Amino acid sequence: MRKLSLIALLGLGLCGSVDADEAPPSFADELRNGFYSRINEFGYVLRQDTLDSPLNPGNVLGIPRDQAVLELRPDFNLKFGQVEIDFKPRLRWTHTRVVTGSSAPLRSRRDEAFVNEGSVRYRLFDRLILSYGRENLQWGPSALLSPSNPFNANNGRNNPNLELPGMDYARAVLVASPAVTMSLIANTGRGRLDARERYRKAFAAKLDYTGDDTFFSLIGSRADGERGRIGAFAGWNVTDALSIRVEGSAGHAAGADVAATDRYAVERRDRQLLVGASYTTMAGPTMSAEYFFNKDGCADVAIELCLQRRGALLDPLRPLARRRYAMFQYVDTKIGGKLNLAVRAIRNLDDRSAQLIVSVEYELGEHWLLYAIPTYSRGSRASEFGSVLRRSLFVGASYTF
């Protein structure tokens, strides 16, 4: 009996040794466990009614009347040790019909493959992360636009289904504490930004603070051919239902040295301020209101002269050309468990033009989403929202697996 007990104890000891000395995961196991993928197929049709105006006579801007797009959007992510890789290639097939004046409609087809986002991040130390690649770098609490962002103030919230173009960045992020983060950012290339849009290389330093009910960020930046700029945003959750926010930026007036090489710099005053608030009702819908002041805009001239003065038809740092705007937004999600609704009204307080965007999203099962976004514009043909489009309709569907 004593011999059997001894054998049993030795057996338990051997089992314990095997567990303790269990071989670490193989290289293949680490890759498998750290890999994530998401495949999204997205298609939409777009119908737009253009206006004949001094800004776009006979549709010289070439705005499509009809467009059909099919996109394959795979997202890949791999975490391995201290390295993390994001890769978002895209395949897009586009059919377009453009109507210009009395000419016959111009039909075109374009097939393209590109990488909208792709980056490599390396954790050099526990609190220091280095990264390089193409990203859609967004921040700030504002719904209308992000005036503190020195790279791209567009936030894409008029139609979140359309991806914003990724741009090329090098970043160093220091996590000083759970509440404080510091970043150095260099925008090294235009990436997928449209060739018609103004682009300048820029560098920024960003300080972020996040508290229990408050957050604050300060951004200092400088772009090629321009002087320094300061941006900031902050928010306060006053109650569980009410939050307020502020965001803006300011830059030096252009000096003679800059003006000599940049005609646009003569007009720049470069001060922008956005204030807003959101309130979530007991029933679930959230209502938001924002006021945006853009001192760099022009208040009292026709929109085509305003854009000439600005020096660029499309400017990612200044997507709105006038000075004063008001926005109201109503969002209700999971209506009946499947329907998401967002209504956004933007009013140009200088030329009295307006834009209304209604976004409807319906969840059809676990994989399908259906979209419909009608947009209506109102204003004189010399106004910002009334000079290009009268209305448009975006209808789409996506399948994710």
Side-chain angles (χ1 to χ4, degrees), residues 45 68 71 123 140 145 168 173 184-185 271 298 311 318 362 396:
V45 293
E71 287 188 356
R123 187 176 291 274
L145 75 169
D168 300 333
V173 180
L184 296 177
I185 309 168
R271 276 177 279 172
C298 44
R318 294 158 191 85
Y362 184 77

Side-chain angles (χ1 to χ4, degrees), residues 49 53 103 130 133 145 199 234 240-241 283 316 343 356:
D49 291 338
S53 68
S103 303
L130 306 178
L145 75 169
Y199 168 75
D240 290 341
V343 180
L356 176 68

Side-chain angles (χ1 to χ4, degrees), residues 251-324:
H252 292 290
D257 55 334
V258 178
T261 58
D262 187 354
R263 177 177 174 271
Y264 168 72
V266 177
E267 302 294 337
R268 286 192 56 187
R269 287 161 289 196
D270 202 16
R271 276 177 279 172
Q272 301 174 329
L273 177 66
L274 185 148
V275 293
S278 295
Y279 183 81
T280 303
T281 66
M282 293 291 290
T286 298
M287 293 172 286
S288 303
E290 292 183 349
Y291 173 80
F292 176 56
F293 177 73
N294 172 32
K295 194 167 185 181
D296 192 38
C298 44
D300 54 1
V301 299
I303 189 62
E304 66 274 14
L305 298 177
C306 179
L307 294 176
Q308 288 176 13
R309 179 183 299 178
R310 191 169 74 163
L313 180 64
L314 301 172
D315 189 342
L317 289 184
R318 294 158 191 85
L320 298 175
R322 300 293 194 189
R323 287 194 182 179
R324 300 175 301 139

Side-chain angles (χ1 to χ4, degrees), residues 8 11 15 34 75 161 167 173 226 248 266 285 291 298 306 355 371:
C15 289
D75 295 349
N161 306 294
M167 300 170 69
V173 180
E226 297 182 2
V266 177
Y291 173 80
C298 44
C306 179
Q355 192 175 61
Y371 311 93

